[in-house]
Amino acid sequence: MQMNASYTSLVAVGDSFTEGMSDLLPDGSYRGWADLLAGRMAARTPGFRYANLAVRGKLIGQIVDEQVDVAAAMRPDVITLVGGLNDTLRPKVDMGRVRGLLEEAVERLAPACERLVLMRSPGRNGPVLERFRPRMEELFTVVDELAERHGALVVDLYGAPSLADPRAWDVDRLHLTAEGHRRVAEAVWQTLGYEAEDPDWHVPSAPTPPPGWVSRRTADARFARQHLLPWIGRRLTGRSSGDGRPAKRPELLPYEGPVHGGPVAGGHGG
């Protein structure tokens, strides 16, 4: 891989993770690792162009149908693809179908760019995701196999202790904080061959005293009421927080900082 890389364009494809939840801006829109990465790349390359097609809640089939051909037609230097995790979090999932769709996405995107970047998504330590870990790790095995076959880069966020730390996750326990997104941007930055700005992005923050029993139970109750129950409700009714929501950066245009969208509506992704 080249060092001190210079790319002229980036297109991000995926779901809420790539949209930027929960890196909240003051106006209620989201920033996220892809915007941060684009800003850093643009600072190195005048005229740098960026599109972000990701929409919260999208399953891999929707990503293939709605985003992949659009991204391929833009023919950017770099495409990032992160998808399939929402599928693994469903009560029932056909992992063979997920594998096939992810393979289809990679086969379309790899020839359309100079660098295709895939990821092993981060996984928060804690009971909420434990039942889904076997599916997640099966998905990441597919990611590794496809990357080797098609010459794509893989960013291993799942193996980063800093992103397993519960402090890197928002109160919904499904999306990263601003600091978590900053670390992801640094990881992708380094994988693309740029000189490290934070060599220790994977190292957890210094230990802090654990919250007391009452604080933990209060947080658990708030999480269940505000996030877990609505998420389960959407799963049972086949709805998604991304239904009808457009991508925040649908065109490959010169990067000029965050695009401020409307208020955060529809809850957190999935």
Side-chain angles (χ1 to χ4, degrees):
M1 185 196 320
Q2 62 179 339
M3 298 302 292
N4 297 316
S6 179
Y7 299 104
T8 64
S9 52
L10 166 68
V11 175
V13 172
D15 51 34
S16 60
F17 173 68
T18 302
E19 183 186 343
M21 298 173 72
S22 290
D23 183 5
L24 195 62
L25 293 169
D27 69 348
S29 63
Y30 292 115
R31 181 177 52 182
W33 67 265
D35 283 12
L36 292 169
L37 176 66
R40 290 170 66 172
M41 295 171 77
R44 292 283 190 95
T45 307
F48 183 86
R49 296 176 301 149
Y50 170 52
N52 189 325
L53 307 180
V55 177
R56 66 194 71 171
K58 293 299 183 182
L59 302 173
I60 186 61
Q62 295 170 308
I63 291 172
V64 170
D65 290 344
E66 300 167 14
Q67 300 178 32
V68 165
D69 284 346
V70 177
M74 293 177 177
R75 302 200 69 84
D77 286 353
V78 178
I79 297 176
T80 64
L81 168 64
V82 188
L85 199 62
N86 282 334
D87 297 78
T88 69
L89 299 179
R90 295 275 166 151
K92 295 181 180 179
V93 60
D94 181 348
M95 289 302 296
R97 181 173 182 272
V98 172
R99 170 189 285 270
L101 287 165
L102 192 58
E103 183 172 6
E104 181 179 344
V106 171
E107 288 176 347
R108 293 190 202 175
L109 293 175
C113 61
E114 181 180 341
R115 287 290 184 191
L116 177 61
V117 179
L118 308 177
M119 297 189 201
R120 294 162 57 90
S121 304
R124 180 186 188 275
N125 286 334
V128 174
L129 292 180
E130 283 308 313
R131 62 169 293 194
F132 301 108
R133 284 195 189 278
R135 293 178 182 176
M136 293 168 60
E137 292 176 356
E138 183 178 351
L139 176 69
F140 301 153
T141 298
V142 175
V143 166
D144 289 342
E145 292 172 353
L146 289 174
E148 183 174 1
R149 191 184 314 161
H150 294 277
L153 303 176
V154 177
V155 184
D156 184 14
L157 305 174
Y158 187 68
S162 62
L163 297 178
D165 188 330
R167 293 172 297 174
W169 295 78
D170 191 44
V171 293
D172 70 353
R173 304 182 186 181
L174 285 174
H175 300 104
L176 294 171
T177 62
E179 172 62 12
H181 279 282
R182 183 198 69 78
R183 290 175 183 256
V184 172
E186 176 67 30
V188 183
W189 172 264
Q190 292 182 30
T191 300
L192 283 170
Y194 292 98
E195 185 176 354
E197 296 187 12
D198 177 11
D200 297 324
W201 68 266
H202 58 286
V203 178
S205 302
T208 56
W213 186 89
V214 173
S215 296
R216 294 199 305 273
R217 298 292 78 78
T218 301
D220 288 345
R222 185 184 303 115
F223 160 70
R225 181 177 66 254
Q226 296 181 358
H227 302 289
L228 182 59
L229 292 178
W231 182 81
I232 292 173
R234 291 196 297 273
R235 297 291 74 72
L236 294 176
T237 57
R239 293 178 294 115
S240 167
S241 57
D243 289 346
R245 181 177 292 274
K248 64 179 176 181
R249 291 180 180 270
E251 299 180 73
L252 186 60
L253 296 173
Y255 179 82
E256 297 177 349
V259 172
H260 300 291
V264 178
H268 287 267

